[in-house]
Amino acid sequence: HDHKFDPVSQKEFYSLAAFFNNTTQAVRDGNIPNTPPIVVVPERADRERFRLLAELLPAAQSKLDSIRKSAIEKVPTLGITASEIAKTLPSGENLVLHAPLGEGAGDTTSVLVDGTMIPVTASGSLSWTDGNSRAKSLIVKGGAFVSVPDVADYDLRDPFSVCVWIYPERDNINGSIVARLDEADGYRGWDLWMNGGRIATHFVNQWPEKAIKLISRDSLAVNQWSHVALVNDGLGTVASIRLYVNGSEQTNREVANDSLGGETIRGTAPLTIGSRRNGDFVNELRINDVRVYNVALGGRDLRELGDASAAMFATSLPVDAIKGARAESLSRWWLNNHSEEYRDAIRQLDELRREDEAIRKTGTTAHVMNEKPDPAIAFVLNRGEYDQRLDQVGADVPAALPSMGELPRNRLGLAKWLFGDQHPLTARVSVNRFWQEVFGTGIVRTSGDFGITGELPSHPELLDYLAVEFRESGWDTKALFRMMLTSATYRQSAQATPRGVEIDVENRLLSHGPRFRMDAEMVRDMAIWSGGLLTPKIGGPSVRPYQPPGVWEAVAMPESNTRNYKSDEGAALYRRSMYTFWKRAAPPASMEIFGAPNREVCTVRRERSNTPLQALVTLNDPQFVEAARKLASTALTTAGGDASGGELSTLQWIASRLLSRELTQPELDIMLPAIRDLVAYYHANPLDAAALLEVGNTPADDSHAKPSLAAWTMVASELMNLDETLCK
């Protein structure tokens, strides 16, 4: 290209940036896991059923809506009474507290506590507005709240339910709906909480060190009444705490903290409505009909309770006043109690939703970038300062590169331009990075800089050839890697000759095969694969392998949903390293030691190092010790172990697994006596053997004698730490 060495101007830089400045995604998304738009890609075996569910779900919903519409028209005229509805409420003997919150005026409200109605004077001046289960409802404003002492002092192992009608008047509300929680005592207690417009709960001994926090990931509807509930089964685990909205369990939830352990949450705080003991007011939220039960209610109980509590008030109104939400509540109560067709329709819809959700969870979620309808623009920034805008520019590419021609100035047009036949860089940069992955150094050593400040290619014709082959193959990455890996150049011995070192000390002329330490992810994957532990599953959510304690806690904010680290169990521990959950402020320690970048910035070429810390990881990290033990156990089973001649065959089996070759005689002369010394040591020190075999989540194979297995574990670990093992 005639202008390939032309500099890129400041205006051209910002014009190119405009392509990436046109997304509909908000700056803040509330930490939801999958910001729309998204595309769900189910497992292959589930795709036909997933497509069918896309038809069945709307049909089931339509059937349910039809039944409800018919009921809304006729139910208000049936003369249903409040006493009839009251009979369907959960048992009164389990009702610990009932606060209707419907007075509509004044600062005193009547609260039923253990069967006795008592007046409670609020802290501050109460505000009232239109209600749902009553004509009026409490709305939290101006720091006023209702406090009831000596009630609902529960622990994690006490079953209880808290349910309430709420009406958010705006989005992103934060604050406590109902609580028995004391901020002055380390936030000890429990609450039902609004977390950015989503319902949540805390169970706290001391926040955040000993606490549980759960958050529903689905936001509540604004300017609409919802019946929300917190239910604790009393089993003492996070799984036994559930959140409900309109009788539907919020299974799409986030465990933001799970460090309570067996600590108590009992305290001296009163039960409060609209706040905690000393603050955290849930402003601009209407509240009606707070109920606390000393039993764990089910989803159907809660659904019927919500409908019944609203329907009872509707029965006190004239027929022509039973409209809108009140008619819906009354009709839902009647359908729940008098229509088998309705109950069947509910069950069918719930079953279809659960099936659909299960398929979505096991599949892959593809994130789609959606563009604004207006043309993409950006502003030239004075010295790069975001608050000092200069000229507005449209989306375009630098003049030093081929023109976009008639292509649209959006992301799709940019993608077509990048992969066009006339574009000189995409294929060349890509194959250079692939070459760097295989050979350790790119044909252009400065793989992140193909400009005038970068290095010239060591083999320019080869770079051109690979780029054209890659493009003409339809961008077939696997075929390109196969070509490089099966080439005579790659398959050379990695042993350098004296003449080769003299002429080409950096091996830029490729006189011998590549030899460099594997990347951090490969080192870990090699270890767990060699031990037979690697989980082959492709795709799925991130996982949490072993990590030293306290790494996340040391850098996390108190409100962070990744404050506490808890390792996974089972197959998730042994997923490929690419699936590891990555907290940028505290990257996985073992990978960071091996040079993995923290992902704060794009890293095209990693630095390679060789430090004592790396040896300490491969010798002592539970993942590597466990992998060595599993490798030793498999070798003993497969190759004969301590039987006559078994030492040699077992050692060679391990060597072949790790080094792809057998040990030479000089190496055997070192290793065989070492094995016998280790076996003797662990026979004399059985406690050391037992401690070694307890490392890791996978239990040791009991079919092998502990001293023998411990000794061979150390042998496997020793071979696993050879440079020849860790280098490719």
Side-chain angles (χ1 to χ4, degrees):
H1 194 281
D2 292 341
H3 305 288
K4 63 182 177 180
F5 295 119
D6 289 353
V8 175
S9 71
Q10 185 185 39
K11 183 172 289 188
E12 287 178 325
F13 173 85
Y14 286 103
S15 290
L16 187 61
F19 286 106
F20 307 97
N21 194 36
N22 203 38
T23 174
T24 58
Q25 185 171 327
V27 176
R28 302 180 66 182
D29 63 4
N31 278 341
I32 61 175
N34 292 308
T35 305
I38 60 172
V39 175
V40 176
V41 184
E43 298 281 356
R44 190 174 300 277
D46 295 329
R47 290 178 187 175
E48 186 60 38
R49 181 61 181 172
F50 188 68
R51 283 192 288 268
L52 184 58
L53 285 170
E55 301 173 3
L56 295 176
L57 276 165
Q61 184 66 59
S62 178
K63 179 181 178 181
L64 193 63
D65 292 342
S66 178
I67 296 171
R68 285 173 173 165
K69 182 179 179 181
S70 177
I72 288 173
E73 295 172 354
K74 70 177 182 180
V75 165
T77 65
L78 297 180
I80 301 168
T81 64
S83 59
E84 183 182 353
I85 295 174
K87 293 176 183 178
T88 64
L89 292 171
S91 175
E93 64 187 25
N94 297 318
L95 183 61
V96 174
L97 175 138
H98 180 207
L101 301 177
E103 281 77 6
D107 300 326
T108 299
T109 184
S110 295
V111 178
L112 184 73
V113 179
D114 293 329
T116 302
M117 189 68 75
I118 60 172
V120 175
T121 300
S123 173
S125 298
L126 296 181
S127 299
W128 303 91
T129 187
D130 293 339
N132 182 56
S133 61
R134 295 291 189 274
K136 296 295 182 180
S137 66
L138 170 69
I139 180 167
V140 183
K141 287 183 178 180
F145 64 97
V146 175
S147 176
V148 185
D150 304 322
V151 64
D153 186 17
Y154 295 120
D155 220 330
L156 183 60
R157 289 195 171 275
D158 296 324
F160 70 96
S161 305
V162 182
C163 37
V164 53
W165 279 103
I166 61 173
Y167 183 105
E169 293 192 335
R170 61 176 176 84
D171 201 0
N172 290 319
I173 291 178
N174 290 284
S176 193
I177 307 168
V178 182
R180 177 150 181 159
L181 187 148
D182 192 349
E183 304 97 310
D185 187 20
Y187 290 83
R188 178 169 295 195
W190 60 265
D191 71 0
L192 177 59
W193 173 265
M194 284 288 285
N195 197 96
R198 299 170 287 164
I199 61 168
T201 183
H202 299 84
F203 283 63
V204 182
N205 174 270
Q206 290 288 312
W207 179 262
E209 294 83 7
K210 300 174 182 178
I212 290 172
K213 182 177 182 180
L214 301 179
I215 310 170
S216 169
R217 285 183 166 139
D218 299 323
S219 298
L220 288 179
V222 178
N223 294 323
Q224 180 177 312
W225 284 100
S226 296
H227 191 251
V228 301
L230 158 66
V231 176
N232 179 39
D233 284 346
L235 300 179
T237 65
V238 171
S240 66
I241 304 170
R242 302 194 303 276
L243 297 168
Y244 289 85
V245 176
N246 297 324
S248 295
E249 183 178 355
Q250 302 301 282
T251 55
N252 184 21
R253 67 185 198 170
E254 173 190 343
V255 181
N257 198 337
D258 182 14
S259 59
L260 181 60
E263 301 291 340
T264 183
I265 66 170
R266 291 185 182 276
T268 59
L271 183 137
T272 51
I273 300 172
S275 77
R276 290 170 173 168
R277 184 173 194 170
N278 297 307
D280 290 316
F281 302 99
V282 63
N283 289 305
E284 298 177 72
L285 185 79
R286 304 182 194 182
I287 304 177
N288 254 165
D289 204 66
V290 177
R291 295 172 185 257
V292 180
Y293 291 86
N294 60 9
V295 293
L297 300 177
R300 179 172 178 176
D301 295 327
L302 292 166
R303 184 162 52 242
E304 294 180 357
L305 172 60
D307 291 336
S309 58
M312 286 180 70
F313 176 67
T315 63
S316 67
L317 302 174
V319 172
D320 59 358
I322 305 176
K323 299 176 181 178
R326 304 198 188 286
E328 290 179 14
S329 296
L330 189 61
S331 64
R332 280 199 303 268
W333 174 86
W334 184 88
L335 289 168
N336 274 319
N337 290 276
H338 295 279
S339 173
E340 187 62 33
E341 180 188 21
Y342 176 75
R343 290 192 290 269
D344 285 343
I346 286 281
R347 282 194 293 270
Q348 290 171 11
L349 182 58
D350 284 347
E351 288 172 2
L352 292 172
R353 283 173 173 167
R354 282 194 294 270
E355 187 179 0
D356 182 74
E357 184 178 347
I359 291 175
R360 289 172 181 270
K361 282 184 176 180
T362 58
T364 299
T365 300
H367 296 81
V368 180
M369 190 64 73
N370 196 27
E371 292 202 74
K372 297 175 183 176
D374 300 324
I377 63 166
F379 291 90
V380 176
L381 303 180
N382 182 33
R383 301 182 65 83
E385 296 287 347
Y386 68 88
D387 59 346
Q388 296 186 33
R389 291 180 171 182
L390 300 177
D391 297 338
Q392 178 178 310
V393 294
D396 208 344
V397 297
L401 295 172
S403 169
M404 289 187 69
E406 299 301 317
L407 289 172
R409 266 45 174 185
N410 56 25
R411 288 170 188 264
L412 179 60
L414 182 66
K416 290 180 177 180
W417 172 77
L418 281 169
F419 288 88
D421 290 347
Q422 300 306 311
H423 196 287
L425 286 177
T426 307
R428 290 163 59 84
V429 168
S430 298
V431 299
N432 190 65
R433 293 186 185 180
F434 296 151
W435 186 274
Q436 175 181 272
E437 187 71 27
V438 171
F439 288 91
T441 304
I443 298 172
V444 175
R445 190 200 306 265
T446 54
S447 51
D449 185 356
F450 268 57
I452 58 175
T453 60
E455 287 192 16
L456 292 174
S458 59
H459 299 73
E461 295 87 354
L462 175 61
L463 181 63
D464 287 343
Y465 171 78
L466 291 174
V468 173
E469 281 290 309
F470 186 41
R471 189 190 68 198
E472 297 302 317
S473 71
W475 308 92
D476 190 334
T477 305
K478 182 179 287 188
L480 180 68
F481 269 93
R482 183 181 294 113
M483 179 195 302
M484 290 189 289
L485 294 172
T486 56
S487 67
T489 303
Y490 180 78
R491 294 163 63 193
Q492 294 180 100
S493 167
Q495 187 171 356
T497 63
R499 179 63 173 162
V501 171
E502 180 184 348
I503 296 175
D504 182 25
V505 66
E506 294 184 337
N507 198 34
R508 295 294 285 146
L509 301 178
L510 303 169
S511 61
H512 58 83
R515 183 181 183 276
F516 55 92
R517 198 208 70 228
M518 292 185 289
D519 288 335
E521 294 86 346
M522 294 182 186
V523 171
R524 176 179 172 273
D525 291 355
M526 174 277 301
I528 58 179
W529 172 85
S530 65
L533 292 169
L534 186 68
T535 301
K537 177 185 175 184
I538 295 175
S542 299
V543 294
R544 291 171 168 82
Y546 301 115
Q547 179 167 289
V551 175
W552 280 14
E553 290 81 353
V555 300
M557 300 292 287
E559 66 275 12
S560 171
N561 61 2
T562 56
R563 177 177 176 81
N564 300 104
Y565 189 90
K566 183 179 179 182
S567 295
D568 282 319
E569 297 180 354
L573 270 176
Y574 313 111
R575 301 290 313 275
R576 288 181 174 88
S577 298
M578 65 180 292
Y579 297 115
T580 298
F581 188 100
W582 204 278
K583 184 180 176 76
R584 285 179 295 177
S590 62
M591 290 199 213
E592 191 173 28
I593 288 170
F594 277 96
N598 63 9
R599 303 189 186 180
E600 289 284 355
V601 296
C602 177
T603 302
V604 175
R605 183 176 53 170
R606 295 186 183 186
E607 296 297 327
R608 298 194 186 278
S609 59
N610 189 359
T611 71
L613 280 176
Q614 294 169 359
L616 290 173
V617 169
T618 51
L619 286 170
N620 298 317
D621 188 297
Q623 192 84 84
F624 289 84
V625 175
E626 181 182 38
R629 187 189 69 237
K630 190 68 168 61
L631 175 59
S633 177
T634 304
L636 287 168
T637 300
T638 305
D642 297 324
S644 177
E647 288 178 347
L648 178 59
S649 59
T650 301
L651 185 57
Q652 295 291 30
W653 192 94
I654 295 174
S656 296
R657 182 82 169 173
L658 292 172
L659 307 176
S660 299
R661 68 172 178 85
E662 292 190 341
L663 298 179
T664 63
Q665 189 59 49
E667 292 168 335
L668 291 172
D669 292 341
I670 297 171
M671 293 302 302
L672 288 172
I675 294 168
R676 292 163 192 148
D677 290 344
L678 284 167
V679 171
Y681 173 83
Y682 283 117
H683 270 292
N685 297 274
L687 293 180
D688 289 352
L692 178 63
L693 300 182
E694 287 176 359
V695 175
N697 187 261
T698 300
D701 188 346
D702 292 335
S703 66
H704 303 298
K706 288 185 177 180
S708 176
L709 181 56
W712 280 101
T713 296
M714 296 304 294
V715 171
S717 178
E718 185 176 351
L719 293 179
M720 196 178 284
N721 281 273
L722 293 175
D723 277 352
E724 188 175 345
T725 305
L726 298 174
C727 294
K728 68 186 296 293

